[in-house]
Amino acid sequence: MPRYRLTIEYNGTSFAGWQIQANGATVQARLQAAVSAFTGESVTVHGAGRTDAGVHALGQVAHLDLQRDWPPEIVQNAINAKLRPDPVAIIKCSLAPPDFQARFDATARHYLYRILNRRAPAALDAHRVWHWIGKLDAEAMHAGAQMLVGRHDFTTFRSAHCQSASPVKTLDRLDVSRRGEEIHVEASARSFMHNQVRSMVGSLKLVGEGRWPPVRMARALAARDRAACGMVAPPDGLYLVRVDY
């Protein structure tokens, strides 16, 4: 039984997240339906990350097993044909070792959060950025972000619904930079907790506005209290960019 590794791109606006749910369309369910329509098999597509409702992906990774030994290019093209017109695409497909696990073998996950910082609303990027009119200081945001890098208890930036076994995580990178009219927040870690990136971005936005000094990020982290977190940024601007193995 061959195992295939997929790299997947999707616009999460119309989905209730990656993982199958009782109510609402999900990326995982749509992929499994497309595979079934192509092969006639009932399969489970295992993803590297459970992106939330409205969150996008440029490089989600998943694996699945098929009964027949199809060439990877046939698998890719056939699944893509069955996915239309939904905004989901297999951008790469390859044979994987039989013990490859998309979720548990990952060594790093990389996220990007885009803030469109201008008065005019997003026309082409509607639902793909967080639009913020007020002035934001990217340098101050970056200074505050550095206080979260490293191994910490991230309870403050953890959703009350998070199912992670421990709030202790190692944040390898949290960089903030201005790119023209956009502010980019780039985060890397082996794993993240539910709403962690969006919670950190929401607090950093308060630093960018001048409502919090950068050191307030360290105090919020040390509080280990969800009440010390700023607002949770909307899902629109968040992208799972890449998964490393």
Side-chain angles (χ1 to χ4, degrees), residues 96-115:
D99 60 348
F100 172 75
Q101 294 284 335
R103 180 181 177 189
F104 298 110
D105 289 351
T107 59
R109 293 166 173 85
H110 306 274
Y111 282 88
L112 165 67
Y113 197 97
R114 297 171 60 199
I115 303 173

Side-chain angles (χ1 to χ4, degrees), residues 212-235:
W212 282 17
V215 72
R216 178 76 176 268
M217 295 298 296
R219 295 202 294 265
L221 177 68
R224 300 180 185 178
D225 184 351
R226 185 66 176 166
C229 182
M231 68 177 294
V232 178

Side-chain angles (χ1 to χ4, degrees), residues 11-238:
N11 183 322
T13 303
S14 60
F15 292 104
W18 165 269
Q19 191 173 14
I20 289 178
Q21 302 176 22
N23 298 306
T26 66
V27 180
Q28 184 185 34
R30 188 65 191 89
L31 280 165
Q32 291 181 180
V35 175
S36 180
F38 156 48
T39 64
E41 301 176 33
S42 178
V43 302
T44 299
V45 179
H46 303 271
R50 300 174 181 177
T51 53
D52 294 336
V55 175
H56 317 293
L58 303 176
Q60 169 75 283
V61 176
H63 77 265
L64 75 160
D65 298 327
L66 297 178
Q67 295 289 337
R68 180 173 168 181
D69 191 6
W70 296 91
E73 62 272 17
I74 296 296
V75 174
Q76 178 180 357
N77 293 338
I79 295 176
N80 281 338
K82 299 299 182 181
L83 284 169
R84 297 188 184 99
D86 287 335
V88 183
I90 310 301
I91 58 176
K92 188 181 296 183
C93 177
S94 61
L95 285 168
D99 60 348
F100 172 75
Q101 294 284 335
R103 180 181 177 189
F104 298 110
D105 289 351
T107 59
R109 293 166 173 85
H110 306 274
Y111 282 88
L112 165 67
Y113 197 97
R114 297 171 60 199
I115 303 173
L116 179 63
N117 189 208
R118 70 182 190 191
R119 178 162 295 279
L124 298 181
D125 279 334
H127 306 296
R128 296 176 56 196
V129 294
W130 182 13
H131 178 224
W132 192 259
I133 294 175
K135 183 179 178 181
L136 294 175
D137 184 340
E139 292 185 2
M141 293 170 70
H142 181 74
Q146 300 321 293
M147 298 178 185
L148 304 185
V149 175
R151 185 170 179 81
H152 306 289
D153 182 328
F154 282 95
T155 295
T156 297
F157 303 100
R158 177 186 190 179
S159 167
H161 304 291
C162 180
Q163 298 177 353
S164 180
S166 170
V168 177
K169 298 289 181 183
T170 300
L171 183 62
D172 297 316
R173 178 191 186 199
L174 189 62
D175 291 340
V176 183
S177 60
R178 178 170 287 279
R179 310 289 179 89
E181 294 179 324
E182 291 192 15
I183 289 177
H184 287 185
V185 182
E186 297 170 281
S188 299
R190 181 166 187 172
S191 63
F192 291 90
M193 293 182 294
H194 186 207
N195 278 357
Q196 183 180 347
V197 175
R198 290 168 56 198
S199 296
M200 294 188 299
V201 170
S203 293
L204 288 170
K205 191 270 293 183
L206 296 177
V207 175
E209 289 182 291
R211 294 168 61 186
W212 282 17
V215 72
R216 178 76 176 268
M217 295 298 296
R219 295 202 294 265
L221 177 68
R224 300 180 185 178
D225 184 351
R226 185 66 176 166
C229 182
M231 68 177 294
V232 178
D236 307 51
L238 185 58

